[in-house]
Amino acid sequence: MVNVGQPFVPEYNNTSSDKYKKFVSNFKSKMEPYYKEKVPNFNSMEIRKLSEGKTKRRRSLALTKVSRSSTVIVHHDVMVDISNDNNFNSSYYTSFKEVKSALDALKGTDDIIDVDAFETELNVTEVCDAVTAILPEEYRKYYAPSILPGKVMCVSQCHQGHPHPKMCFNNATCEVSFDGPSCYCLNTDVSWYLGEDCSYKVNKIGFYAGTGVVALILVITIAVLTAYVVINKRKVSRSKDIKRKLVNKWLEDDVEWPTQRNTLHSVSRGPHDNPTFSQENSYRRDSSEIYRPNLSEDQTDSQYSIPETDIQPYNFQRDVRIDRPQIRSSSEI
């Protein structure tokens, strides 16, 4: 800021007026050579506005009269070139001191009433806009300024210094296109990647081999289980058929049980057994059959006469029938 000892006119508020343009042209033609001489890294200067300064009083001794007039304050920016390296902060402060020293040397000369200099905060957005000005608009939106250690950079989303970086894994490369940042995976002919960021790497050969082994195990397991189920089902069916046939035969047939050999009426064979009534030579007789001894004619004496009686042989073989056994299930028992 420089306070020039010239009267301020209303036309200076209009940047399109001739008086404004003429004043600015004269001021720049005077100050630019001076800055180039005093400031080594000077690049250019830019007038921001003209404002009205403090009133200047003048007293006339002859007329004892006071006249009042305002001055012109020129607000302008001084641009300097600073190398973007690890020492850019120190370079900036050095240039600022050089500009302030040059302004202080102008105070009190050529109607310059007052001067002052102010530090400007670093606007990294403007730096990035200036760097990406040569790029198409579709690409510029993927770039952002970043202050790295001692350095200002304009980086894309593929850079880790970006506020919202694009992460890529498994040594994949990141590139910015019209659609935004994308990850390009490596060795796609032998590997698959399940994520867009090239994460979850899957080897094709290992996948095919594992899938084949698993499929073979499943097939063998299914075949064994199927054979076991079929064989077991046949065994169960065969067992059921056999049991069913036995039960049906048992239920359909009229079972006859033979008589026991030794009963209350049985006679054991001994030395006096009559072979006629033995079990081997047993027979049945009709109830009308009468046993009559055969006597010879010379035995007609009365002492040998045997009264006639009906002697029926004892039948040692008789059919014994029992009730049919009742079948009960294991649960009923």
Side-chain angles (χ1 to χ4, degrees):
M1 181 270 293
V2 176
N3 189 346
V4 181
Q6 296 182 10
F8 182 85
V9 295
E11 286 80 0
Y12 289 162
N13 292 324
N14 185 6
T15 58
S16 300
S17 65
D18 294 337
K19 289 185 177 182
Y20 175 86
K21 293 178 180 179
K22 184 178 180 180
F23 181 87
V24 169
S25 178
N26 293 334
F27 183 83
K28 292 179 68 175
S29 63
K30 181 181 179 179
M31 293 300 296
E32 284 184 349
Y34 179 78
Y35 282 130
K36 288 181 181 180
E37 181 182 356
K38 298 296 182 178
V39 181
N41 296 326
F42 175 78
N43 181 276
S44 61
M45 64 174 295
E46 182 180 352
I47 306 297
R48 288 189 290 127
K49 68 176 181 176
L50 302 177
S51 63
E52 185 177 358
K54 296 180 180 180
T55 301
K56 182 180 180 181
R57 295 183 179 182
R58 290 182 181 181
R59 184 179 295 272
S60 175
L61 297 177
L63 301 176
T64 63
K65 185 177 181 181
V66 178
S67 62
R68 298 174 181 273
S69 64
S70 59
T71 59
V72 180
I73 298 177
V74 182
H75 301 270
H76 65 284
D77 294 331
V78 178
M79 274 73 73
V80 294
D81 294 332
I82 299 176
S83 60
N84 191 14
D85 54 17
N86 295 334
N87 298 322
F88 84 97
N89 286 323
S90 60
S91 301
Y92 173 77
Y93 288 116
T94 301
S95 299
F96 172 75
K97 292 179 180 180
E98 293 173 350
V99 172
K100 184 174 178 56
S101 177
L103 288 174
D104 291 339
L106 289 175
K107 188 176 182 180
T109 62
D110 298 334
D111 295 334
I112 295 179
I113 301 174
D114 194 9
V115 295
D116 200 357
F118 304 94
E119 295 182 13
T120 302
E121 294 182 1
L122 181 62
N123 191 341
V124 292
T125 303
E126 293 180 356
V127 176
C128 190
D129 292 340
V131 173
T132 59
I134 60 176
L135 299 177
E137 185 64 27
E138 292 80 2
Y139 288 93
R140 296 180 63 182
K141 60 184 179 180
Y142 300 115
Y143 285 81
S146 177
I147 301 178
L148 301 178
K151 196 173 184 179
V152 179
M153 295 185 64
C154 184
V155 297
S156 67
Q157 285 187 258
C158 292
H159 196 278
Q160 297 300 321
H162 195 277
H164 306 285
K166 176 70 174 179
M167 303 299 295
C168 297
F169 301 93
N170 293 312
N171 298 324
T173 58
C174 179
E175 296 182 6
V176 178
S177 62
F178 286 99
D179 298 328
S182 302
C183 295
Y184 292 88
C185 308
L186 301 177
N187 302 324
T188 55
D189 54 338
V190 296
S191 300
W192 283 323
Y193 298 90
L194 303 181
E196 295 182 357
D197 52 359
C198 298
S199 58
Y200 305 106
K201 182 178 178 181
V202 179
N203 187 274
K204 293 183 179 180
I205 298 176
F207 175 79
Y208 291 140
T211 303
V213 171
V214 172
L216 180 60
I217 293 174
L218 289 176
V219 170
I220 294 175
T221 303
I222 293 173
V224 172
L225 292 177
T226 303
Y228 173 78
V229 171
V230 172
I231 295 173
N232 186 58
K233 187 175 181 180
R234 289 181 178 178
K235 288 182 179 180
V236 173
S237 178
R238 188 181 299 110
S239 177
K240 288 183 178 180
D241 292 341
I242 294 173
K243 292 180 180 179
R244 187 181 300 109
K245 290 179 180 179
L246 291 175
V247 171
N248 292 336
K249 184 177 181 181
W250 194 3
L251 295 175
E252 292 175 359
D253 293 345
D254 190 7
V255 181
E256 295 184 358
W257 296 83
T259 59
Q260 298 181 357
R261 293 183 178 273
N262 296 325
T263 61
L264 295 176
H265 303 283
S266 63
V267 179
S268 60
R269 298 185 62 182
H272 303 287
D273 289 344
N274 189 349
T276 305
F277 299 98
S278 65
Q279 291 184 359
E280 290 80 0
N281 299 320
S282 62
Y283 59 93
R284 293 186 180 183
R285 299 186 181 186
D286 295 335
S287 60
S288 60
E289 186 178 355
I290 300 174
Y291 175 76
R292 298 180 183 277
N294 186 14
L295 300 176
S296 61
E297 294 179 356
D298 56 352
Q299 296 177 346
T300 58
D301 194 71
S302 61
Q303 58 180 353
Y304 297 103
S305 62
I306 299 175
E308 294 182 359
T309 58
D310 293 336
I311 300 176
Q312 296 182 358
Y314 183 81
N315 187 11
F316 291 94
Q317 291 186 351
R318 291 188 178 183
D319 295 335
V320 178
R321 295 182 178 271
I322 64 173
D323 294 336
R324 184 172 306 219
Q326 299 295 325
I327 301 175
R328 295 182 181 181
S329 62
S330 59
S331 61
E332 293 178 352
I333 295 174

